[in-house]
Amino acid sequence: MVTSMLSAQIRTETLLSPDGNMKMTFSLSEDGTPNYSLSYSDREVIQPSCLGYTLRGDASPKDPMTYMRVSYDTVDMGSGFAFVEAVKSEFDETWEPVWGEESHIRNHYNELAVTLAKKDFKGKAGKDVQMVLRFRLYDDGLGFRYEFPTQDNLKYFIVMDELTQFRMAGDHTAWWIAGDYDTQEYNYAQTRLSQIRETLPKMIFNNASQHVVGPTAVQTSLQMKTDDGLYVNIHEAALVDYPTMTLILNEEDLSFKADLTPDATGYRGRLCAPCTSPWRTVMVVDDARKVLASRLILNLNEPCALEDVSWIRPVKFMGVWWEMITGLRSWAHGSRLGHGANTENVKKYIDFAAEHGFDALLVEGWNEGWRDWFGNQKDEVFDFVTPFPDFDLPGLNEYAHSKGIKLMMHHETSSSVVNYERCLDDAFAMMKKYGYDAVKTGYVGDIIPYGEYHYGQFMINHYNRVLKKAAEYKIMVNGHEAVRPTGICRTYPNLVGNESAMGMEFRGRVLPHHVTVLPFTRLQGGPMDFTPGIFEMDMSKINPNSKQQIHSTLCKQLALYVTQASPIQMAGDIPENYLKHMDAFQFIKDVALDWEKSVYLAAEPGDYIITARKAKGADEWFVGGVTDENTREMTVDFSFLEPGRKYVAKIYTDAKDADGVNNTIDTGSEACVKYEIKEMKVTSKTKLKVRMAPSGGFAISIK
Amino acid sequence: MVTSMLSAQIRTETLLSPDGNMKMTFSLSEDGTPNYSLSYSDREVIQPSCLGYTLRGDASPKDPMTYMRVSYDTVDMGSGFAFVEAVKSEFDETWEPVWGEESHIRNHYNELAVTLAKKDFKGKAGKDVQMVLRFRLYDDGLGFRYEFPTQDNLKYFIVMDELTQFRMAGDHTAWWIAGDYDTQEYNYAQTRLSQIRETLPKMIFNNASQHVVGPTAVQTSLQMKTDDGLYVNIHEAALVDYPTMTLILNEEDLSFKADLTPDATGYRGRLCAPCTSPWRTVMVVDDARKVLASRLILNLNEPCALEDVSWIRPVKFMGVWWEMITGLRSWAHGSRLGHGANTENVKKYIDFAAEHGFDALLVEGWNEGWRDWFGNQKDEVFDFVTPFPDFDLPGLNEYAHSKGIKLMMHHETSSSVVNYERCLDDAFAMMKKYGYDAVKTGYVGDIIPYGEYHYGQFMINHYNRVLKKAAEYKIMVNGHEAVRPTGICRTYPNLVGNESAMGMEFRGRVLPHHVTVLPFTRLQGGPMDFTPGIFEMDMSKINPNSKQQIHSTLCKQLALYVTQASPIQMAGDIPENYLKHMDAFQFIKDVALDWEKSVYLAAEPGDYIITARKAKGADEWFVGGVTDENTREMTVDFSFLEPGRKYVAKIYTDAKDADGVNNTIDTGSEACVKYEIKEMKVTSKTKLKVRMAPSGGFAISIK
């Protein structure tokens, strides 16, 4: 243990979780440095770690009449504090999300709020500046945040650095993606903490916009496992009006330090009291399944801010999309490849989607701008209201509505956010006029305003601004390339989807273990529009010029609809590929989108996940299982079913000779689409052995 | 002469002005470096000076499907050129501005367009990139610009540096303000070029937003005078989709180099071919009055882009404004000073303005946001539609309209441009709903997007975007803290006013010679909302806490309505101060705003200006004269009048003991408001001796 950094503690406060298993200790050292530590069953999880900030203030406004610049002094808000008070409380409620993995969520924690005062705040000698540290300790983890109350001596201020540390107690195994201010679309590495530096360069590949933070920087949610079997997960909750946190590892003491995404001028945040930071979270559980069952992130968000949520609905959709992703056709009208979103083609999709009971059809490339949009940092690209000449916007909406489905709007912003914000009202008004109720947004490329990053405070405010504005128009949002979610969907449940990680569009680049990690990390903050359901793994079958080969069995694709819960789920492939496997397609048609409860049957990050979920408002269960590159034989225990009742289960499993890994172009792609479907009767006493092929999986529907 | 920089010229093209007096020489040296020089009656004015760019390209877009970043290489576009062709032409037209200093403007020039090709453009070996240098030579000056035509090998590109040089032929006397990316509100210095460096620090004072460019950087329009009596003026015209140019002096060869305002990432511009730079202009005349008479800047702008201009009208206005500027009352409701824009107070102004024949009343501080707006880089400050509770927006507009005047809207953006752009449509729609037809915009403080400057390309596009949007709503724009004008008002004549220089709001800081320089510099690009007409020079009479004392006589204030032509003119003072001098106020009531012709009777930058103007559509003349800190006795020659006719002139002159300079708080302010008014008959043969007091002036109305 490094003791040199810790002075004698002059004030200590402890907080226990409701079950008494976890203990958080807050201390203020002799020199006024605040720190905290965390233990689980007397096992040290977070060693004493720094709290605080380097700020620039006092930024309290000058008289406007003087027309003078405010001068900012740097202020150390990481030491020199005096203790003011500590207040403890308990909270226990159960709330009902609009949609989600379960219909009722318990929010039960003990709270400690420590008020500190900085004696020597520059420029205001003799007057204190107060900061509150609020800790909430749950049975499955800790959340804490900084609060700056309304006060005379601090109003506007700049965050130069957030000092928050997470000093880990050992060289844990971690599942991580590289820290980047502009993209989250990387594969996960599984290494010891001490191996991050040597591994990180191998995990980087070229992206449309990227800014790698540093040689030991990783993103949250960061899943770790200790050698004695604890699962530790660091993330943040309720990211509002604040930059996104990256974690930078100091290998000397195995501590992570918060790194806030800078703005174009290098500042890490611009705040105005009263205000708070997001919650910094440390989940600690002794079973990987409990990570998946944790609602820590959602619980630390504010309750629903929308009065009327009746218009928010789960959506199962198809898209005029995969044929562009695979390079068969183009988003752009006039392209030599041909334009995907032409009226005739869209009608075919509408027919197919309607026939098979889908709710909506996404159409990308419907609007002017696609000829010349990418990579040029062009301000005015799209206007979001002008269709290409071959896309009959009113007619196609009418046609879709006549068949009982809606079109899903697509707003690729080309990351020209200034332009999107100018156009937003007109764009949403047009959507409402023609009957769209959901939009997929996109932020491909470097951000305009120039110099801003995808995860800086300006963009965080933008994403939330779009959510609020969309709610005014009763529009659901599915944000792509937006920031990784932090549970905001509790407050704005019209945020029905996010990409914010590598999805199926990356095709052959997606490593087999990817989907065994996502529910531990990316999905902790909210659902993902992963776009599963790819039935043809050999891209050359769609586009002869593509050599891409997806490393997954067909059954694994089915399982994802269950293992990765989301109120919106896409069937990503083209109709022609579903027509070849209509028996397997039945699972996608059947699977529910919103859940009464979820049971995590088996899980280990990077290895496998088996999840069972009961549909909300229906007497149906669905089970999904996925594995990494290794074949596995596992037993599904049906004890989640109501005892004494008999159910019929339809089971979709990898065939014996199925293989999701060894299916390169050379070896042929047939192995990955070999599957078996059988029906059997099951009860709560059934135990079923299931074999998953390499990068395989299985799916079960139970009625 | 520095010859080392010039290689042997391999290609030379010359261009003469229509009168043959001026000669421009273009040369391409052996190493392919383009340069130009300029002479006036065989006197060298611009010695051979560099042309060109450092760019980053090729930025031609990649296939969007690859989702790959565009990689930019630095390209030297300042040498290595080959000559392609030179095309000469002549142009002569007379056009009619919607408003201005004269009703007809002749646009007469000879043109040379030189096409160059860069052989070794990186990344596209063997393929040329073309650039056109277009020169227009007038009898009173040169304009030239860069053009990038549509071509396969250059589309999107980044300007790293513009290499344009202006090598002066001597150590001229110059009237300049310090180069700054964020403010133009400085006093003018009068020094030799070689004295800029030593003088510049003394000319800087604290401003709400400022970024001084460098120790020898000055702004355009830069007025110079050679020792042999030539007046040389460097500026730019038609600043569209391009950053503003500052001039940086190299004292070694007395050359200025273009310095483009960078964006938040340090880039100097982001262009997309086909595109052009603004015109770089060098005016050369042998009489100071010809500078004032020149229409070079307007002529180099595009013709009017608006089909219907019937709604654009000159506006004489008062404002609920000076009482806030002087600190008597506040913009903010709830201020301890009291809120200026309260319904009762506004009605008083409406009554007064209507009674005295004004067209409009500006009301500042009418809307929510003023309590907490300045200096905090706050994104969402104003919404531009929510009045303070004590401002009856519909009622006051009705009341004003019933009295035959309009209210002028005020949009202080607090430089949160992202926010203003979000709100613009709603704000303009509300204006139209209640009958506003003009808006004063304001950009006080540092720009949001963070890191952008007031004069960078993003902001130039913003100002022009606001103009176009306003035109859609038939709204006139009076932009404050916006970029110095470059003749854009020819193309968008709804740009009826700009501040863009130090105006009367600076009160005691405005040096006596300021208004004898502005028409040579700032006003070359368009009119200024200088807000003259201050009758009470002792600010403590309005606000006992203010020690500010304006250094001007009352008659000088009257003269400004003529010497500084503008289609919008404010009577800046409060009604109470006009009531004390109703006889002098009569001139402000009488003076015209739009002119059939203008005659510049006497002028010397920094010393004095006497201008006579004939009202458009009326048989009335107005004459104004201003002097610097020196008293002057000058003769007004009325030969501009129609011969043989008799007129009645009303003459407002400084009293014998008037003094606009020696009127500090201590010495009393009475000396500056001493004036005499007399009427006399005049003809075209009249010659009238007029004495101007220190910082004094005179005004004459003639019917």
Side-chain angles (χ1 to χ4, degrees), chain B residues 298-330:
Chain B
L298 287 177
N299 276 332
L300 286 167
N301 274 266
E302 295 298 311
C304 182
L306 307 180
E307 281 190 27
D308 174 16
V309 295
S310 62
W311 50 276
I312 300 172
R313 62 187 184 119
V315 177
K316 197 180 291 179
F317 66 109
M318 295 187 69
V320 181
W321 173 71
W322 191 248
E323 57 183 273
M324 284 92 89
I325 292 289
T326 53
L328 178 67
R329 283 188 174 160
S330 172

Side-chain angles (χ1 to χ4, degrees), chain A residues 387-609:
Chain A
F388 277 130
D390 61 346
F391 181 83
D392 176 10
L393 192 142
L396 283 168
N397 276 282
E398 265 182 53
Y399 186 73
H401 299 163
S402 77
K403 300 220 160 191
I405 72 170
K406 283 184 180 275
L407 296 188
M408 186 184 284
M409 175 51 75
H410 184 228
H411 288 168
E412 173 52 55
T413 66
S414 69
S415 288
S416 178
V417 174
V418 287
N419 183 49
Y420 190 42
E421 292 199 345
R422 283 175 211 131
C423 297
L424 209 47
D425 265 304
D426 285 350
F428 283 169
M430 193 201 72
M431 282 178 61
K432 292 317 279 185
K433 180 177 173 189
Y434 291 108
Y436 293 89
D437 70 347
V439 60
K440 172 180 171 178
T441 58
Y443 296 89
V444 173
D446 291 340
I447 299 292
I448 307 178
Y450 304 117
E452 295 290 340
Y453 297 111
H454 279 73
Y455 315 134
Q457 185 180 9
F458 182 86
M459 287 303 297
I460 300 310
N461 287 340
H462 168 77
Y463 303 130
N464 289 336
R465 183 178 293 120
V466 170
L467 273 187
K468 287 183 204 173
K469 178 73 79 179
E472 288 172 23
Y473 287 87
K474 300 191 175 177
I475 288 172
M476 297 178 282
V477 177
N478 170 17
H480 278 236
E481 295 90 23
V483 70
R484 45 194 171 276
T486 58
I488 298 290
C489 57
R490 178 182 177 186
T491 312
Y492 292 100
N494 62 320
L495 178 58
V496 289
N498 300 274
E499 187 186 43
S500 313
M502 201 168 67
M504 279 314 297
E505 65 177 0
F506 277 80
R507 294 155 286 159
R509 291 188 184 180
V510 180
L511 296 179
H513 71 269
H514 191 57
V515 295
T516 69
V517 181
L518 284 178
F520 289 93
T521 53
R522 163 64 186 76
L523 271 59
Q524 287 293 317
M528 176 171 179
D529 184 21
F530 185 77
T531 67
I534 304 304
F535 276 18
E536 175 54 69
M537 310 303 166
D538 178 357
M539 297 300 101
S540 72
K541 295 275 172 61
I542 298 176
N543 172 14
N545 295 322
S546 173
K547 302 289 179 212
Q548 292 253 13
Q549 185 76 21
I550 290 173
H551 303 297
S552 164
T553 67
L554 187 149
C555 283
K556 187 180 188 179
Q557 292 291 314
L558 299 182
L560 293 170
Y561 290 88
V562 185
T563 58
Q564 304 195 163
S566 173
I568 63 164
Q569 290 280 21
M570 189 180 199
D573 215 331
I574 58 177
E576 290 81 348
N577 290 335
Y578 291 130
L579 286 170
K580 294 180 200 160
H581 305 285
M582 289 305 284
D583 53 352
F585 189 51
Q586 188 61 42
F587 183 82
I588 299 179
K589 291 167 69 171
D590 290 342
V591 70
L593 299 168
D594 195 16
W595 309 102
E596 190 177 305
K597 63 174 162 179
S598 296
V599 182
Y600 305 93
L601 301 175
E604 186 63 23
D607 291 344
Y608 55 85
I609 292 174

Side-chain angles (χ1 to χ4, degrees), chain B residues 593-613:
Chain B
L593 300 168
D594 194 16
W595 308 102
E596 188 178 309
K597 63 175 165 180
S598 296
V599 183
Y600 305 93
L601 300 175
E604 187 63 21
D607 291 345
Y608 55 84
I609 292 173
I610 302 176
T611 303
R613 303 190 199 263

Side-chain angles (χ1 to χ4, degrees), chain A residues 59-65 67-70 72 155-156 206-210 263-265 270 272 324-325 327 329 331 336-337 370 372-380 418 421-422 425-426 444 446 448-452 458 465 505 509, chain B residues 59-65 67-70 72 155-156 206-211 263-265 270 324-325 327 329 331 336-337 370 372-380 418 421-422 425-426 444 446 448-452 458 465 505 509:
Chain A
S60 54
K62 300 287 189 293
D63 187 343
M65 287 183 315
Y67 273 20
M68 285 298 117
R69 270 171 175 281
V70 173
Y72 292 102
K155 187 163 185 186
Y156 290 93
N206 217 346
N207 206 299
S209 175
Q210 65 190 149
D263 70 17
T265 67
R270 296 162 189 266
C272 175
M324 286 92 89
I325 291 289
R329 284 187 172 158
W331 282 269
R336 60 175 171 78
L337 296 177
W370 285 92
D372 180 23
W373 71 286
F374 176 70
N376 301 314
Q377 288 251 282
K378 189 175 164 186
D379 184 321
E380 297 185 8
V418 287
E421 292 199 345
R422 283 175 211 131
D425 265 304
D426 285 350
V444 173
D446 291 340
I448 307 178
Y450 304 117
E452 295 290 340
F458 182 86
R465 183 178 293 120
E505 65 177 0
R509 291 188 184 180
Chain B
S60 54
K62 301 286 188 292
D63 186 344
M65 287 182 315
Y67 274 21
M68 286 296 116
R69 274 170 172 282
V70 173
Y72 292 102
K155 186 163 185 185
Y156 290 94
N206 217 345
N207 206 297
S209 175
Q210 64 189 152
H211 186 105
D263 71 15
T265 67
R270 296 163 189 266
M324 284 92 89
I325 292 289
R329 283 188 174 160
W331 282 268
R336 61 176 171 77
L337 297 177
W370 285 93
D372 180 23
W373 70 286
F374 176 69
N376 301 315
Q377 289 251 281
K378 188 176 167 186
D379 184 321
E380 297 184 8
V418 287
E421 292 199 345
R422 281 175 213 131
D425 265 302
D426 285 350
V444 173
D446 291 340
I448 308 179
Y450 303 117
E452 294 291 339
F458 182 88
R465 183 176 294 121
E505 64 178 359
R509 292 189 184 181

Side-chain angles (χ1 to χ4, degrees), chain B residues 93-107 295 298-299 302-304 309 312 314 487 489-493 567 594-597 616:
Chain B
E93 68 162 11
T94 297
W95 58 279
E96 298 177 27
V98 176
W99 47 258
E101 295 185 70
E102 54 197 3
S103 59
H104 292 74
I105 294 176
R106 189 175 179 194
N107 186 13
R295 305 294 173 246
L298 287 177
N299 276 332
E302 295 298 311
C304 182
V309 295
I312 300 172
C489 58
R490 179 182 177 188
T491 312
Y492 292 100
D594 194 16
W595 308 102
E596 188 178 309
K597 63 175 165 180
K616 193 184 279 181

